[in-house]
């Protein structure tokens, strides 16, 4: 008994041939439809993609909670509610809460670096080491909404790291890339005699960071902070 033959287009039954090739279409109409489909193939239905940026959506929720309510309020349930997702989605994208908090901190560091580079490259005389030095230090100050929000998040993280050894490891590391950069810029800008470049870099980074917190609290004005920065740069560099 011969196998049943069906049309490739309509799936209708085809009478088996007595001789010759095995047919694949039941009629000329189906053959024409097959030809048209090869010439103009139908567009496949769009597949619903995975939600884009879901990890970032959750991370941004951590930032908002940290900036507005403190990191102690950043529970998985609160983060999920702020991000507009379920706690299960948060747990799917991150191994645990600590993984989420560390990821959010590292992403904030990277974003701050990208934003700082963008701002510095648009400066007039950006090749001047003195201009670069001042601009680099001003990146530590909350001079716009983005830097203000970022500093609030960093302050919340720092406070949490004092009682969270695992989180403190993100802050406490042997490398000091910012201090090293400031020291290199001081050297390129021309330090005065008897200036210890490394010590001055440490003092500038620590001092400007503290002034930034004062700005957040409203204890100082931007003009006050800039005058203080001018004073220290004038003390360190020659020919100012």
């Amino acid at each position: 008994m011969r196998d049943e033959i069906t049309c490739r287009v309509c799936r209708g039954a085809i009478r088996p041939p007595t001789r010759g090739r095995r047919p694949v279409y039941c009629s000329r109409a189906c053959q024409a439809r097959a030809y048209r489909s090869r010439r103009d193939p139908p567009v496949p239905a769009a597949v619903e993609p995975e939600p884009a940026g879901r990890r970032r959506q959750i991370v941004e929720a951590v930032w908002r909670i940290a900036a507005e309510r403190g990191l102690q309020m950043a529970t998985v349930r609160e983060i999920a509610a702020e991000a507009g997702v379920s706690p299960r989605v948060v747990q799917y994208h991150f191994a645990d809460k600590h993984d989420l908090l560390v990821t959010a901190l590292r992403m904030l560091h990277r974003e701050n670096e990208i934003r700082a580079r963008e701002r510095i490259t648009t400066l007039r005389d950006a090749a001047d080491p003195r201009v670069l030095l001042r601009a680099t230090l001003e990146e530590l100050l909350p001079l716009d909404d983005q830097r203000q929000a970022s500093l609030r998040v960093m302050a919340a993280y720092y406070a949490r790291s004092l009682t969270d050894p695992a989180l403190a490891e993100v802050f406490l590391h042997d490398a000091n890339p910012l201090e090293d950069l400031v020291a290199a810029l001081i050297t390129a800008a021309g330090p005065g005699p008897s200036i210890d470049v490394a010590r001055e870099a440490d003092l500038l980074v620590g001092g400007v960071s503290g002034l930034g917190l004062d700005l957040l609290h409203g204890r100082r004005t931007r003009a006050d902070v800039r005058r203080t920065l001018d004073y220290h740069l004038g003390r360190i560099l020659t020919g100012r």
Side-chain angles (χ1 to χ4, degrees):
M1 182 177 179
R2 294 188 180 185
D3 295 334
E4 182 180 357
I5 304 173
T6 57
C7 176
R8 289 185 180 179
V9 174
C10 70
R11 299 303 177 186
I14 301 176
R15 180 179 298 178
T18 56
R19 60 181 181 178
R21 291 190 305 172
R22 184 185 182 104
V24 293
Y25 306 110
C26 65
S27 65
R28 290 186 180 276
C30 283
Q31 186 176 10
R33 287 171 58 191
Y35 171 76
R36 287 194 299 270
S37 68
R38 289 196 299 269
R39 185 182 60 185
D40 301 308
V43 178
V47 177
E48 187 69 22
E50 286 291 326
R54 182 56 59 85
R55 280 173 63 87
R56 182 176 178 84
Q57 179 181 341
I58 296 168
V59 162
E60 288 180 347
V62 174
W63 294 346
R64 289 193 297 273
I65 292 172
E68 297 165 9
R69 291 182 278 161
L71 208 59
Q72 72 277 5
M73 298 301 296
T75 64
V76 171
R77 186 178 296 277
E78 288 294 322
I79 293 167
E82 181 68 28
V85 300
S86 68
R88 187 183 297 272
V89 171
V90 175
Q91 293 163 350
Y92 172 80
H93 285 283
F94 299 93
D96 51 34
K97 179 182 171 181
H98 184 261
D99 175 45
L100 169 54
L101 295 182
V102 170
T103 299
L105 179 58
R106 295 191 189 282
M107 285 181 65
L108 183 61
H109 277 304
R110 288 196 297 271
E111 180 149 313
N112 286 344
E113 182 176 353
I114 291 170
R115 296 287 185 91
R117 288 179 184 275
E118 290 174 348
R119 280 187 287 262
I120 289 174
T121 54
T122 62
L123 289 173
R124 185 176 302 175
D125 301 326
D128 185 336
R130 297 189 179 211
V131 173
L132 283 176
L133 174 59
R134 185 183 183 87
T136 299
L137 293 169
E138 287 190 346
E139 284 299 321
L140 300 174
L141 300 173
L143 299 181
D144 53 35
D145 291 343
Q146 184 269 325
R147 280 178 281 188
Q148 184 178 85
S150 173
L151 185 54
R152 291 179 69 90
V153 176
M154 295 296 291
Y157 265 97
Y158 188 79
R160 174 67 174 267
S161 73
L162 296 176
T163 55
D164 186 335
L167 196 59
E169 291 179 4
V170 182
F171 282 97
L172 305 178
H173 48 75
D174 295 333
N176 296 292
L178 183 55
E179 288 84 351
D180 292 343
L181 173 60
V182 170
L185 289 173
I186 292 173
T187 300
S194 304
I195 290 294
D196 187 324
V197 172
R199 298 297 182 190
E200 294 293 350
D202 286 345
L203 185 60
L204 280 172
V205 171
V208 175
S209 296
L211 292 174
L213 293 175
D214 281 351
L215 275 178
L216 277 185
H217 282 295
R219 293 187 64 246
R220 301 177 190 272
T221 66
R222 293 184 183 182
D224 290 336
V225 170
R226 285 183 166 127
R227 281 194 292 267
T228 300
L229 183 55
D230 284 339
Y231 169 79
H232 283 287
L233 292 179
R235 179 181 59 82
I236 295 168
L237 304 178
T238 60
R240 293 186 63 88

